Every structure is written in C-alpha cells, then in structure tokens.
C-alpha cells in the first residue's frame, strides 16, 4: 500500500491536473461495465414490454450512451497517457536533478544512497507510469467486481455470493501462479548474469574494436548461446510448475459457469426468470472472472516494482545540504588545522593541515599519488566537510555555500572530467551566451567550428582525441570567470613538456585570478609562485621552486628524479 500511496503522490505532484483527469476517467470507466450489464437487463425488459404494449425507451438510451462513453473514453485516455508521460519525463527528471544538486556529496556517496540511485537509473518516469497505471487498474478491477456482484445480488443473492467466492478463489490461484513466475525473475541466476554480461560486452563501443581485431566474436556468441539455453531450461521448469495453479484457476471458472447454467435452467423450468435477467447473466457470466488475471498481474507489478516509487520518494524527500549565507571578504583560501577521512573509512587522508592560498598567485600542490592532493580540492569545492578543523574561501565555508556562490568562487577541472555529446560551444558555455574564439585558439582547438558536435549522436559529430578532450575541459574552466581556477591533474596523460607549455600559455592570460595546480609532475611546479609539498596528508615543505631546490629536501629529490627521466626520454 505504501508503494501505491507514494506513486499517487509523485504523479499528482509532477503531473497536476492530468493526474486528476486520469483518475476520474478510470473510475467512470470502471463503473461503466457493471452499469452496461444492468442497463442491458433493463433494456431487454423494456423491449419485451414494448412488444406487450408498454414501453420505456430510457434504459435503451442509457445503454447507448454507456457504449458511446466506453469507446470515446479510449480516445481521451490515449491523449491523457501521452500528456502524462510528457509531464512526468520533464518534471520528475527536473525534480531529481535539482534535488541531487542540493544533497551533500558525502551523503550521495553512502552505499545505501548509491543503491537507491541504481534502482532508478533507467528512465524512472516510465516505471512510475507503469506503477500508476497498474494501481489504477487494481482500483478499476475492484470497482468492476463490486459493481457486477451488486448486479448479481439484484438478480439473486445465491448468484451474488457464488460470484464473490469464485472471484476470490480465482484471484488466489492466479496470484500464486504469477507470484511463482515473478520470483523466478527476481532471483536472477548465475546464468542470467553471465548472459547479461555478454550482451553488455557486445554493445560496448570500445570492446567492439578488440573483438574485431582479435576475432573474438565466436567466443562471445558461443558463451551467449550456452547461457541463454540454460536460462530457457530454468524458465521452462518454473513455468510448468506455475501451470498447476492456473489449472486450479480454470477449475474455479468451470465450476462457476456450471453453477450459472444450473441456476438459469432451474429458473427457466420454474418460469421464475425474466428476459432481462437472463440476458444480463448470459452476457456477463463468462467474462467477469477474466478480470482476476488482470487484477493479479497488476498487483504483482505493484508488488515487484513498488520499490521504484518508494525509492523516488525517498530521494526527493532526502535532507538537503544546509546552505548558510555569510559575508565575503578577502581573496584567499584558508585551511585551519584540517584533518579528513572519507565517510565509511578509518584512515585519515589529511592530517592537521593549515595554509593559505592567495588569489593573486599561482600555487602548485605536489606530491606522490595518494598524498591527499585531490582531497584538498574536494574540500575546497565543498563536496565534503572536514572531519576536524575548517576550510574557508574568502571567509565563507564552502560546505554550506550555495551552488551559485561556489561556482562564482571556483572553476575546477577534475582529474576525471566529463565532456558531453553536444556542440563544442555548449560544452564550454552550457547554453549561455559568450565568445569562445580566444579560448579555442589558446588551447589549439580552433581547427574545429564552435558548432561542431562532439560524439556521434549527430551525423556530423566528431570524436576528440584524448588530448583534445582534456583541452576542451580546460577551455570550459577558463571561460568561467571565477576567482580561483583549479587544475586537478586533468592533463596527466599528456606529454609532460607539452603539458607544461600549455599551462604556461594559460597562466599568462589568467590575470587577477588565483590558480591552483595539483600535480605529481614537478615540471609544472616551476610555473608556480608558491609550492606546497604533501606527503601522507601532511605539508612537509613549502616555498618557491628555487627555495625548495636550495633546501635540498624531498622536493629537490623528486624533481631531480623526474628531470632525469625526461632527459632519458
């Protein structure tokens, strides 16, 4: 029931009037079937009365109107379903995106939250529509069954009671059969997982290159055939078992029809049944129990997929990151006795860090992999809250700053950046107005038109090389006029000397903007006004390149080791 209530709440919230119209149409249409049966009885009696000399055409007119509504309602419902899908696809996805942008990253990264996200990753609005329609059909079926039972009770209490008993047992046996099949699909076997893995491999663009070069097609096709055959055998066995319950359901239908025939014969022999009652019984008895299968199928859909509505409601009701307004003053990033460990772990990644980074300087944060360099940037970006100590940007706490304020202060190119299959211009400006010609020239991307589409979603799209993809990510960051520009090793796969030259060109045009370069390549550190050397989450050295080289510590050792490697290559 919780899933049904959450489904209704989500659809009402995101579809508005369309929700109410569908609900109204469904209730009226559900009442139409028992009304047609009753109106048929009255119409036949009216026609018989007309032959006898007395006539009332109102039941006939009412019956015609009911049939007209039944046909017209299909047209209206199709229109409403299209509108419903349109509204939910737009509004629900907008709500999800807005909500996720307001939840703290450390909350999103919790395993239980990740499980919830995985449950709704594939077009959640369609699953919600299926749940909504199933719950509507359950309601409609209940209304129909109660309405038809009422008609039978009007004819005979014995017939009404027999109908309700038959309907209950038919639903019970059908539910047991369907439930057995659903459990089979829920308990994904090893063979099914193996089969799905092969399908994923064959659909993967990058894997297709190796499959073709190394002639691996037959290997995967044979594996697919092996596992699909096993899955077929597994499903066939379960299906045969479920047929036992369907057989019992058929027996219930046969007994019910036998009782109906016996009732009709007994009433005819006693001359105790009118033409209207006879017509109503004959036309409805054979079709009424067919609704049991529909009821069970829709109930199973809600039972098995109801978690989608509950998950959506869980995410949309999740506590948002608390945003506090604070006054900005100063132009520096400050860490004060900051220690940090990632949620769910015990190891401290940063240990009692204290430093300031000024806006008017280029600062390099260097160290071996795992030293905590990228973690510093995640704290600066407000993605996590320090375990101990405080982080400030222009005297503001980034963890409690709004997304807009963070965006104004920082422009970050992360290590695992993402480019999008849209135009070059939109990849940089994200739909905003602006001139990107100078950015493209600076990063040597000016051989492409601003309207060039990335990827192959469009026929004229192009694939960028690895280096070009990195440059595009840099262009996006440079274009955004934030106070601080942060590079978190986004170009680590570039040739070091090419990388250094590119950064040198970038930094020359970044006037009055603070720049932070995260790197383990010390060839870049020579570009910085200030260098922070990290090791195991602690600052072990700090100064300019020349100062650190004179000091003769870890920095000098690392620099000379890397310089030797560059000379050899």
């Amino acid at each position: 029931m919780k899933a049904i209530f959450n489904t209704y709440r989500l659809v009402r919230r995101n579809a508005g009037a369309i929700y109410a119209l569908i609900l109204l149409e469904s209730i009226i249409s559900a009442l139409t079937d028992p009304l047609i049966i009753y109106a048929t009885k009255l119409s036949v009696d009216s026609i018989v009365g007309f032959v006898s000399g007395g006539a009332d055409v109102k039941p006939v007119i009412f019956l015609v109107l009911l049939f007209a509504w039944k046909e017209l309602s299909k047209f209206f419902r199709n229109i409403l379903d299209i509108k419903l899908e349109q509204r939910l696809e737009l509004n629900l996805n907008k709500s999800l995106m807005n909500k996720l942008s307001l939840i703290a990253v450390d909350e999103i990264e919790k395993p239980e939250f990740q499980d919830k996200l995985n449950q709704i990753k594939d077009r959640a609005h369609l699953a919600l529509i299926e749940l909504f329609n199933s719950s509507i059909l359950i309601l409609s079926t209940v209304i129909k069954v109660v309405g038809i039972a009422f008609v039978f009770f009007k004819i005979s209490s014995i017939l009404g009671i027999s109908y309700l008993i038959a309907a209950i047992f038919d639903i019970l046996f059908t539910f047991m059969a369907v439930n057995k099949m659903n459990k089979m699909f829920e308990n994904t076997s090893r063979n099914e997982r193996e089969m799905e893995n092969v399908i994923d491999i064959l659909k993967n663009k990058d894997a297709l290159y190796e499959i073709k070069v190394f002639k691996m097609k037959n290997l995967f096709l044979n594996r697919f055939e092996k596992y699909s055959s096993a899955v077929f055998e597994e499903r066939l066995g379960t299906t045969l078992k479920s047929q036992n319950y369907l057989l019992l359901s058929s027996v219930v239908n046969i007994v019910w029809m036998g009782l109906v025939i016996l009732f009709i014969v007994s009433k005819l022999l006693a001359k105790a049944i009118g033409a209207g009652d006879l017509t109503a019984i004959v036309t409805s008895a054979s079709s009424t129990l067919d609704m049991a299968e529909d009821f069970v199928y829709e109930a199973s859909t809600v039972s098995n997929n109801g978690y989608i509505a509950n998950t959506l409601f869980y995410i949309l009701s999740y506590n948002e990151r608390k945003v506090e307004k604070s006054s900005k003053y100063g132009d520096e990033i400050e860490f004060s006795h900051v220690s940090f460990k990632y949620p769910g772990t015990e190891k401290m990644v940063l240990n009692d860090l204290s430093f300031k980074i000024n806006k008017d300087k280029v600062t390099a944060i260097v160290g071996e992999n795992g030293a905590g360099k990228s973690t510093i940037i995640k704290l600066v970006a407000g993605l996590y809250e320090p375990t101990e100590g405080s982080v400030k940007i222009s005297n503001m706490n980034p963890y409690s700053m709004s997304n807009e304020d963070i965006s104004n202060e920082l422009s970050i190119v992360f290590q695992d950046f993402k480019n999008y299959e849209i135009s070059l211009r939109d990849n940089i400006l994200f739909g905003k107005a602006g001139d990107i010609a100078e950015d493209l020239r600076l990063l040597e991307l000016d051989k492409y038109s601003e309207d060039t589409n990335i990827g192959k979603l469009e026929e004229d799209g192009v694939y960028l090389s690895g280096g070009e993809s990195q440059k595009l990510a840099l262009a996006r960051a440079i274009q955004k006029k934030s106070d601080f520009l942060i590079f978190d090793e986004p170009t680590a796969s570039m040739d070091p000397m090419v990388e250094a030259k590119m950064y040198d060109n970038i930094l020359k045009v970044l006037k009055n903007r603070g720049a932070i370069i995260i790197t383990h390549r010390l060839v870049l550190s020579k570009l910085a006004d200030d260098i922070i050397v990290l090791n195991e989450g602690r600052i072990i050295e700090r100064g300019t390149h020349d100062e650190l080289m004179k000091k003769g510590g870890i920095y000098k050792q690392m620099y000379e080791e890397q310089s030797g490697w560059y000379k050899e290559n």
Side-chain angles (χ1 to χ4, degrees), residues 6 99 112-113 116 309-319:
N6 283 339
K99 185 67 177 184
E112 57 269 27
F113 198 94
K116 298 291 185 184
N310 293 337
T311 298
L312 285 168
F313 200 80
Y314 171 87
I315 292 174
L316 292 171
S317 304
Y318 204 85
N319 291 332

Side-chain angles (χ1 to χ4, degrees), residues 113-168:
F113 198 94
Q114 285 296 307
D115 289 341
K116 298 291 185 184
L117 287 178
N118 285 332
Q119 289 173 355
I120 61 165
K121 65 181 180 180
D122 296 323
R123 306 198 75 184
H125 74 283
L126 293 180
L128 188 64
I129 289 172
E130 183 180 11
L131 279 170
F132 179 62
N133 287 333
S134 292
S135 61
I136 287 289
L137 285 169
I138 290 171
L139 175 63
S140 299
T141 302
V142 171
I143 292 173
K144 288 178 184 179
V145 169
V146 172
I148 291 171
F150 177 78
V151 173
F152 283 145
F153 271 106
K154 291 284 289 183
I155 296 171
S156 165
S157 58
I158 295 175
L159 198 63
I161 292 171
S162 299
Y163 169 73
L164 285 176
I165 293 173
I168 290 170

Side-chain angles (χ1 to χ4, degrees), residues 342 367-370 372-375 377-378 412-418 469-470 473 486-493 503 518-520:
Y342 283 98
E368 299 292 345
N369 291 332
K373 305 184 298 294
S374 293
T375 301
I377 301 311
K378 291 174 182 177
I412 305 175
V413 188
F414 288 104
Q415 215 170 12
D416 50 352
F417 62 86
K418 175 73 175 175
S469 294
Q470 294 166 345
I486 301 174
F487 304 101
D488 184 10
E489 297 196 276
T491 56
S493 60
Y503 276 116
I518 305 294
T519 184
H520 64 276

Side-chain angles (χ1 to χ4, degrees), residues 333-340 350 352-356 376 379-380 384-393 395-399:
I333 294 172
E334 180 180 3
F335 275 55
S336 179
H337 300 289
V338 171
S339 295
F340 177 76
L350 301 178
D352 196 28
L353 286 187
S354 294
F355 62 85
K356 293 181 181 180
I376 287 176
L379 293 177
V380 171
Y384 297 94
E385 191 170 26
T387 307
E388 298 174 11
S390 65
V391 178
K392 299 287 185 181
I393 304 175
N395 197 49
M396 298 181 290
N397 179 2
Y399 190 76

Side-chain angles (χ1 to χ4, degrees), residues 210-432:
E210 289 195 345
I211 290 171
K212 185 174 181 180
V213 171
F214 293 103
K215 298 180 180 179
M216 300 187 319
K217 180 185 71 173
N218 290 336
L219 168 67
F220 289 114
L221 289 179
N222 290 337
R223 287 172 67 88
F224 181 80
E225 184 177 352
K226 170 188 172 183
Y227 295 123
S228 62
S229 297
V231 168
F232 173 76
E233 293 295 331
E234 187 178 285
R235 291 183 178 178
L236 179 62
T238 305
T239 302
L240 290 174
K241 291 177 183 177
S242 72
Q243 294 304 306
N244 294 330
Y245 295 111
L246 292 178
L247 180 62
L248 290 173
S249 174
S250 298
V251 170
V252 170
N253 276 278
I254 292 169
V255 171
W256 159 249
M257 289 305 300
L259 289 172
V260 169
I261 292 170
L262 185 63
F263 175 83
I264 291 173
V265 171
S266 64
K267 290 296 182 182
L268 286 173
L269 290 174
K271 296 182 180 180
I273 189 170
D277 290 341
L278 179 62
T279 304
I281 294 171
V282 170
T283 56
S284 60
S286 62
S287 62
T288 50
L289 292 182
D290 290 340
M291 291 184 292
E293 187 173 345
D294 295 336
F295 178 88
V296 171
Y297 174 79
E298 303 305 340
S300 298
T301 299
V302 172
S303 174
N304 294 321
N305 298 326
Y307 70 88
I308 293 173
N310 293 337
T311 298
L312 285 168
F313 200 80
Y314 171 87
I315 292 174
L316 292 171
S317 304
Y318 204 85
N319 291 332
E320 297 174 2
R321 179 170 57 88
K322 188 176 180 181
V323 175
E324 299 175 351
K325 289 188 176 181
S326 56
S327 300
K328 172 183 175 179
Y329 68 84
D331 291 310
E332 62 185 15
I333 294 172
E334 180 180 3
F335 275 55
S336 179
H337 300 289
V338 171
S339 295
F340 177 76
K341 61 182 178 181
Y342 283 98
T345 66
E346 294 302 320
K347 181 184 177 182
M348 283 291 184
V349 181
L350 301 178
N351 292 280
D352 196 28
L353 286 187
S354 294
F355 62 85
K356 293 181 181 180
I357 295 176
N358 296 321
K359 179 183 173 182
D360 59 351
K361 291 183 178 181
V362 176
T363 301
I365 301 178
V366 304
E368 299 292 345
N369 291 332
K373 305 184 298 294
S374 293
T375 301
I376 287 176
I377 301 311
K378 291 174 182 177
L379 293 177
V380 171
L383 301 181
Y384 297 94
E385 191 170 26
T387 307
E388 298 174 11
S390 65
V391 178
K392 299 287 185 181
I393 304 175
S394 302
N395 197 49
M396 298 181 290
N397 179 2
Y399 190 76
S400 58
M401 289 168 65
S402 68
N403 292 335
E404 184 177 357
D405 287 341
I406 284 283
S407 181
N408 290 335
E409 292 293 323
L410 305 174
S411 187
I412 305 175
V413 188
F414 288 104
Q415 215 170 12
D416 50 352
F417 62 86
K418 175 73 175 175
N419 287 325
Y420 307 91
E421 294 198 10
I422 50 181
S423 71
L424 207 64
R425 164 179 285 277
D426 286 337
N427 259 287
I428 295 173
L429 295 174
F430 291 124
K432 298 177 182 177

